[in-house]
Amino acid sequence: MRHTLITLLALFLFGCSTGQISEPAAVTQSRDLGDSDHDGVINARDNCTQTPLTAVVDNDGCPVYVKRSEENDVHVLFANDSSLIPDSFFPEVQRMSDFLHKYPDSNVELKGHASLVGRHQYNTQLSLRRAEQVRKQLIETGIAPERIQTVGFGDTLPVKSNSEEQSNTLSRRVVAKVVGEKGYVVDEWTIFMVRNN
């Protein structure tokens, strides 16, 4: 009797069906759960599919940018009653050209000046010719003409100095300051980076 009870219990626990177990129904995946650019955001939600590997990303898989600005200036001195750029100042003009190439959305206003020697009206024209010479040189280095403005201040803003001669020498000038801005991708911090404090 005991043996029969154990047999019945075993049949009850393990089932009496002799049929086959059916396969579960196949499910079609409706979303792309892959992460092609390995940024931690699945393809179905990723709005930026070419994210740089080291970039910090937002919830849409787009890199986080930070704006950085940089300044550059030009300072060219001229001989008395001359608008020719001295050879020693060509590297100065080239440096401004390089900066404008680096920041193609930046424009420059070249400010020409003259010393107090001579007539005011003549000095105004001379200062403008000086600014135009620097403009011409920048154009020759590939800067678009519409990005460069010129203005002549004549002898209205002389440089103050210890002597009249030095003041006149420093006043014969073309100056400009340009600020360039760019958005840079914020890089993810890793154990291999060194933080600058």
Side-chain angles (χ1 to χ4, degrees):
M1 174 89 170
R2 187 170 172 196
H3 182 62
T4 308
L5 207 56
I6 291 173
T7 306
L8 283 174
L9 186 59
L11 285 172
F12 177 74
L13 288 175
F14 295 110
C16 301
S17 173
T18 57
Q20 299 236 344
I21 299 174
S22 61
E23 291 286 324
V27 177
T28 305
Q29 185 174 318
S30 62
R31 300 279 185 216
D32 184 357
L33 302 179
D35 182 12
S36 301
D37 57 0
H38 308 289
D39 61 359
V41 178
I42 62 171
N43 294 338
R45 274 190 350 170
D46 203 336
N47 292 334
C48 300
T49 57
Q50 300 296 321
T51 307
L53 193 58
T54 60
V56 171
V57 295
D58 60 18
N59 289 335
D60 297 320
C62 295
V64 176
Y65 286 89
V66 63
K67 278 204 165 189
R68 294 185 189 154
S69 62
E70 190 178 351
E71 277 189 11
N72 190 43
D73 57 8
V74 66
H75 193 112
V76 179
L77 296 179
F78 292 82
N80 184 41
D81 197 21
S82 173
S83 59
L84 293 176
I85 302 171
D87 290 347
S88 59
F89 286 96
F90 279 111
E92 182 89 359
V93 177
Q94 184 61 51
R95 192 168 52 84
M96 176 58 79
S97 172
D98 294 342
F99 186 85
L100 291 170
H101 280 293
K102 182 178 178 181
Y103 294 99
D105 293 331
S106 296
N107 297 324
V108 63
E109 183 180 67
L110 300 169
K111 300 173 182 178
H113 298 272
S115 64
L116 293 168
V117 177
R119 295 187 331 273
H120 174 72
Q121 189 175 356
Y122 179 82
N123 286 339
T124 301
Q125 292 303 313
L126 177 60
S127 67
L128 186 57
R129 286 197 307 272
R130 287 172 173 163
E132 286 293 333
Q133 278 298 111
V134 176
R135 179 178 188 269
K136 181 182 172 190
Q137 185 61 36
L138 286 171
I139 291 169
E140 286 180 11
T141 64
I143 304 301
E146 60 272 13
R147 296 179 61 196
I148 312 164
Q149 302 299 317
T150 57
V151 62
F153 286 95
D155 52 21
T156 59
L157 296 168
V159 175
K160 293 180 182 171
S161 190
N162 295 333
S163 69
E164 184 180 336
E165 183 182 348
Q166 189 176 34
S167 174
N168 288 336
T169 298
L170 297 175
S171 296
R172 301 170 188 134
R173 68 200 190 277
V174 169
V175 294
K177 183 171 282 195
V178 179
V179 176
E181 282 193 348
K182 267 190 179 178
Y184 291 87
V185 174
V186 178
D187 282 338
E188 205 172 21
W189 188 84
T190 71
I191 60 170
F192 303 106
M193 290 183 179
V194 176
R195 289 181 188 253
N196 295 324
N197 294 333

